[in-house]
Amino acid sequence: GATDFRRELLDKIRALGATRRRRSGLPAVRTPAPTAGPAATAEPSSLYKDPIVLRADKVMRRPKVLAIGSSTGGPQALATVLKDFGTGLSMPIVITQHMPPKFTTILAKHLSSASGLPCREAADGDRLVPNEILLAPGDYHMEIVADGNGQKVSLNQNPAENFVRPAVDPMFRSLIKVFDGRVLGVILTGMGSDGLKGSEDLVAAGGQIIAQDEKTSTV
């Protein structure tokens, strides 16, 4: 169920963080165990502290898509996380990484090699397929829209949000609408506030957010 899925994914994130701490000589960070009762919420600043799951006061539902946002230091973190996930998620994966044009093409090839999953720079109209990764191309916001046959990519060059394009927030907003909040969001290393508002909206819609902790982030 959703609880087992959440626990398994949290264990993976914590294990990755612990490995990096050991390599860097940093002390271990203890993360409190989940508690029963009303769902937990968190202040926005906690997105950049210990890895946690933010939840709205709703019944948790198994997510239908994995959405990842990252910025400075993101390529290495993405490769590490996707390699650990392997092929066990059985859901589409969409990624927005702050990066200029051409570099995202190279990153897609790198992530495909690191993860063992097909990964490509998204094109307008690409369909979401389980165990396939679509990466927002440089200088384009990537949104997901629904049609009669499922979900597909819609690219645009609307104004930059949070001073960047592509931005994480537009991707998160579109996924909330298309998947009725059944989204697992992951925020990785980076600077700035892009992804914060989208994460809050996702939690309010009943989705889940996991964030990389500050000590293992590049920025």
Side-chain angles (χ1 to χ4, degrees):
T3 301
D4 292 338
F5 177 81
R6 178 174 67 93
R7 184 181 302 111
E8 179 182 352
L9 193 53
L10 272 173
D11 288 343
K12 289 176 181 289
I13 296 293
R14 288 169 182 155
L16 288 171
T19 299
R20 290 194 57 180
R21 290 188 196 95
R22 287 195 298 270
R23 290 175 180 173
S24 61
L26 292 171
V29 174
R30 298 183 63 184
T31 304
T35 56
T41 57
E43 294 300 322
S45 61
S46 67
L47 286 175
Y48 302 98
K49 295 182 181 179
D50 291 342
I52 57 173
V53 172
L54 303 180
R55 296 167 46 194
D57 193 10
K58 297 182 179 181
V59 175
M60 293 179 63
R61 299 173 297 166
R62 187 177 182 87
K64 292 185 175 182
V65 61
L66 171 64
I68 306 176
S70 59
S71 186
T72 308
Q76 181 179 357
L78 284 167
T80 302
V81 169
L82 291 172
K83 180 180 180 180
D84 192 61
F85 282 167
T87 59
L89 291 181
S90 299
M91 68 177 71
I93 302 171
V94 290
I95 300 172
T96 290
Q97 162 71 48
H98 298 162
M99 189 171 277
K102 298 183 180 180
F103 288 94
T104 45
T105 304
I106 299 171
L107 177 60
K109 294 179 180 178
H110 175 60
L111 295 180
S112 183
S113 176
S115 67
L117 299 174
C119 176
R120 67 181 182 276
E121 193 178 51
D124 207 54
D126 276 350
R127 297 205 167 273
L128 270 62
V129 178
N131 289 324
E132 289 190 6
I133 305 168
L134 294 177
L135 177 69
D139 203 33
Y140 284 85
H141 295 309
M142 179 174 68
E143 299 181 343
I144 308 302
V145 298
D147 64 12
N149 297 313
Q151 305 84 29
K152 64 181 182 180
V153 170
S154 176
L155 301 178
N156 67 72
Q157 289 189 307
N158 292 340
E161 293 193 27
N162 307 305
F163 308 103
V164 291
R165 188 173 64 200
V168 178
D169 278 346
M171 179 180 71
F172 275 9
R173 286 197 306 266
S174 68
L175 290 169
I176 291 168
K177 181 177 180 180
V178 170
F179 288 96
D180 188 29
R182 298 184 66 172
V183 180
L184 173 62
V186 176
I187 297 293
L188 298 178
T189 174
M191 61 189 301
S193 62
D194 185 38
L196 176 58
K197 182 61 168 64
S199 295
E200 293 173 335
D201 292 343
L202 178 56
V203 170
Q208 304 167 57
I209 288 289
I210 295 177
Q212 184 174 356
D213 72 344
E214 184 177 10
K215 290 186 179 297
T216 62
S217 296
T218 302
V219 179

